[in-house]
Amino acid sequence: MSYQDQKASSETKDPDLARLDALANLLDNQFAIPGTNFRFGVDGIIGLIPYVGDIIGLVISGALLRIMVRKGAGPILMLRMMGNFALDTIVGVIPIIGDFFDFGFKANRRNVDMLKRYYESGKKRPNAKSSMAFLSILFFVFFAACIWLTWKAGAWVFSTVTGLF
């Protein structure tokens, strides 16, 4: 299924999913390199800002995750989605390698696609609203750990660079 077909099919079914789809496209697939099939989005561009860009991307992804919870994703699905965001953030912090990873991994697109498959399966599944407190705490702890690690990495880089002079 092509990019346009995916976009059109999601818009006709559910307006909330269409909004999530549009946000995921903006973050992960908005721009194309002419003459190629390679697409990238705002998340990859923001990720080019060392350390801070990946934290900003995590905050934006957290907002996307919140919308998905309101949409009724189950707790196991939410943990898988959080795993995608965690992987995107942790690897994204690594200089140069993380930047390439940010352009290729597309955690937001993966998560919206998982949510679509979740709904298309038609099976009755538990709702994450009852698990929202636990998931929120888990996301907050991960976010705080990322900020702390970013701070420590920045301090190490600063002390290393100033030690050279």
Side-chain angles (χ1 to χ4, degrees), residues 1-162:
M1 184 180 273
S2 75
Y3 168 72
Q4 272 73 22
D5 292 339
Q6 286 177 344
K7 189 174 178 183
S9 69
S10 68
E11 289 174 356
T12 58
K13 291 181 182 178
D14 183 345
D16 290 332
L17 281 177
R19 280 192 287 278
L20 285 172
D21 218 15
L23 183 56
N25 285 332
L26 173 68
L27 292 171
D28 292 335
N29 293 327
Q30 185 66 37
F31 310 106
I33 296 177
T36 69
N37 288 329
F38 184 75
R39 302 188 70 78
F40 63 95
V42 175
D43 187 42
I45 295 169
I46 291 171
L48 291 173
I49 303 168
Y51 305 111
V52 176
D54 295 300
I55 298 299
I56 291 169
L58 180 64
V59 169
I60 293 169
S61 296
L64 184 65
L65 190 69
R66 183 174 178 266
I67 294 168
M68 290 180 191
V69 168
R70 277 197 340 241
K71 204 52 202 139
I76 301 300
L77 178 64
M78 295 307 298
L79 287 173
R80 288 180 60 206
M81 290 177 178
M82 288 175 75
N84 281 338
F85 291 143
L87 181 63
D88 186 40
T89 302
I90 291 167
V91 176
V93 170
I94 300 169
I96 300 170
I97 295 168
D99 296 329
F100 286 114
F101 185 79
D102 275 344
F103 282 104
F105 185 64
K106 303 175 192 287
N108 300 298
R109 177 80 268 148
R110 288 172 185 261
N111 287 344
V112 171
D113 289 345
M114 277 196 299
L115 186 66
K116 285 179 178 181
R117 285 191 305 274
Y118 179 81
Y119 284 119
E120 288 172 0
S121 71
K123 296 178 185 175
K124 184 154 176 75
R125 296 192 175 136
N127 192 314
K129 289 181 181 172
S130 61
S131 308
M132 186 61 188
F134 171 72
L135 293 170
S136 296
I137 290 168
L138 189 62
F139 186 82
F140 178 75
V141 167
F142 178 72
F143 179 71
C146 283
I147 290 176
W148 181 79
L149 288 171
T150 300
W151 178 264
K152 286 297 199 182
W156 177 78
V157 168
F158 181 76
S159 67
T160 302
V161 169
T162 55

